[in-house]
C-alpha cells in the first residue's frame, strides 16, 4: 500500500517534473526507504563516520548526494550516532540545512515526528509542514497528540495529507478530519497496492509510472497547493478546533 515515505517521495518527484531542482532528504534511524525503493546504492557509513568526527564539509557532503535518473537528488543519514549512542548534534543539522538549501530549489525532508532533542531544530528550518496520516483510530489519536506538539514547536503552517489504506471513506470526509485536528487536509490518497507493486518493479514513483491514476492526481493537487503557497499565494487555512 501507499506508505508515508512514498507520499513524500512522489510529492518530491512532481516538483522535479515541474522543472525544479529538488533534494529529498531522508532522516531516519534505519536504512533509507526511498533509496531502496528507487534502487539507489548508497553507503552512509562514510558520512556517518564524518558526522561523528565532526569533520564533514561541503565537498564530502556532495559525495553523499545520489541523483536518480529522473533528476531527483536524494540523501539519507541516520539521526542516531551508534558510536556516541546519542542523537547527532543540532550544530550539524544547522550546517546540513544551510548547505542543502543552497543546492536545491526545494528541500523535501522526511523525518519521524517524535519528541526528541533535534526535532525542534528540524522544524525551525521547515517553511511548511505536511503531516501524513492514516484514517484508522490509532493514527488519528496519535495525530491528535502530534498536532499540538507541532503547533507548540513552530508557528509555520501545518497541512494534512490523508492516506486511506482501508478503502473505507473517512467519517465526515476531509471536513471531519480538519475539524478533529484543526488543520487543513489537502487530499485523501487511496490505497493503491497494484500501482505500488508495478512502480516498485520499475523503480519509479507512481507519479512517473501512472501519472493519470487517482493517487498521482491527488499528489499533483498537493504539489500545486504547496507551490502556490511557496510562491507567495494564500497561506494554508489554519482551522481552530473550536470553530
Amino acid at each position: 500500500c501507499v506508505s508515508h515515505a512514498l507520499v513524500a517521495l512522489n510529492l518530491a518527484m512532481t516538483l522535479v517534473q515541474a522543472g525544479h531542482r529538488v533534494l529529498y532528504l531522508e532522516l531516519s534511524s534505519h536504512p533509507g526507504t526511498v533509496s531502496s525503493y528507487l534502487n539507489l546504492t548508497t553507503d552512509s557509513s562514510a558520512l556517518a563516520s564524518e558526522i561523528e568526527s565532526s569533520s564533514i564539509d561541503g565537498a564530502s557532503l556532495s559525495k553523499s548526494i545520489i541523483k536518480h535518473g529522473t533528476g531527483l537528488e536524494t540523501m539519507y543519514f541516520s539521526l542516531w550516532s551508534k558510536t556516541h549512542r546519542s542523537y547527532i548534534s543540532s550544530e550539524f543539522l544547522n550546517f546540513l540545512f544551510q548547505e542543502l538549501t543552497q543546492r536545491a530549489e526545494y528541500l523535501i525532508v522526511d523525518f519521524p515526528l517524535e519528541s526528541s532533542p533535534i526535532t525542534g531544530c528540524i522544524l525551525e528550518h521547515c517553511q511548511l509542514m505536511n503531516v501524513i496520516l492514516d484514517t484508522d483510530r490509532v493514527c488519528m489519536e496519535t495525530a491528535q497528540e502530534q498536532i499540538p506538539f507541532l503547533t507548540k514547536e513552530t508557528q509555520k503552517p501545518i497541512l494534512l495529507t490523508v492516506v486511506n489504506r482501508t478503502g473505507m471513506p473517512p467519517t465526515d470526509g476531509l471536513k471531519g478530519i480538519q475539524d478533529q485536528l484543526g488543520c487543513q487536509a489537502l487530499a485523501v490518497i487511496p490505497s493503491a497496492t497494484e500501482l505500488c507493486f508495478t512502480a516498485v518493479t520499475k523503480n519509479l514513483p507512481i507519479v512517473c509510472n501512472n501519472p493519470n491514476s487517482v493517487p498521482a492526481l491527488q499528489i499533483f493537487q498537493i504539489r500545486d497547493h504547496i507551490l502556490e503557497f511557496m510562491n507567495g499565494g494564500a497561506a494554508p487555512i489554519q482551522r481552530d478546533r473550536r470553530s
Side-chain angles (χ1 to χ4, degrees), residues 5 24-28 31-35 75-77 108-110:
Y24 184 98
L25 174 62
E26 186 174 10
L27 305 179
S28 175
T33 301
V34 167
S35 297
M75 180 180 176
Y76 157 77
F77 72 88
I108 304 294
V109 185
D110 178 14

Side-chain angles (χ1 to χ4, degrees), residues 85-122:
R85 296 185 180 276
S86 64
Y87 286 100
I88 60 176
S89 67
S90 58
E91 289 77 14
F92 171 77
L93 276 177
N94 289 330
F95 164 78
L96 180 68
F97 281 107
Q98 181 180 357
E99 286 289 320
L100 296 184
T101 51
Q102 296 177 11
R103 298 166 186 256
E105 293 178 75
Y106 292 96
L107 179 63
I108 304 294
V109 185
D110 178 14
F111 67 99
L113 188 56
E114 57 188 24
S115 180
S116 70
I118 57 174
T119 297
C121 179
I122 297 173

Side-chain angles (χ1 to χ4, degrees), residues 19-32:
H20 301 287
R21 184 177 181 185
V22 183
L23 200 155
Y24 184 98
L25 174 62
E26 186 174 10
L27 305 179
S28 175
S29 300
H30 308 285

Side-chain angles (χ1 to χ4, degrees), residues 39-110:
N39 196 29
L40 299 173
T41 56
T42 176
D43 181 9
S44 60
S45 58
L47 179 58
S49 64
E50 290 178 282
I51 291 174
E52 292 165 1
S53 63
S54 302
S55 62
I56 191 168
D57 55 20
S60 56
L61 193 65
S62 297
K63 297 178 182 178
S64 300
I65 297 175
I66 306 173
K67 192 169 185 177
H68 188 256
T70 58
L72 175 67
E73 294 180 302
T74 67
M75 180 180 176
Y76 157 77
F77 72 88
S78 175
L79 293 173
W80 183 261
S81 170
K82 294 182 179 179
T83 301
H84 301 293
R85 296 185 180 276
S86 64
Y87 286 100
I88 60 176
S89 67
S90 58
E91 289 77 14
F92 171 77
L93 276 177
N94 289 330
F95 164 78
L96 180 68
F97 281 107
Q98 181 180 357
E99 286 289 320
L100 296 184
T101 51
Q102 296 177 11
R103 298 166 186 256
E105 293 178 75
Y106 292 96
L107 179 63
I108 304 294
V109 185
D110 178 14

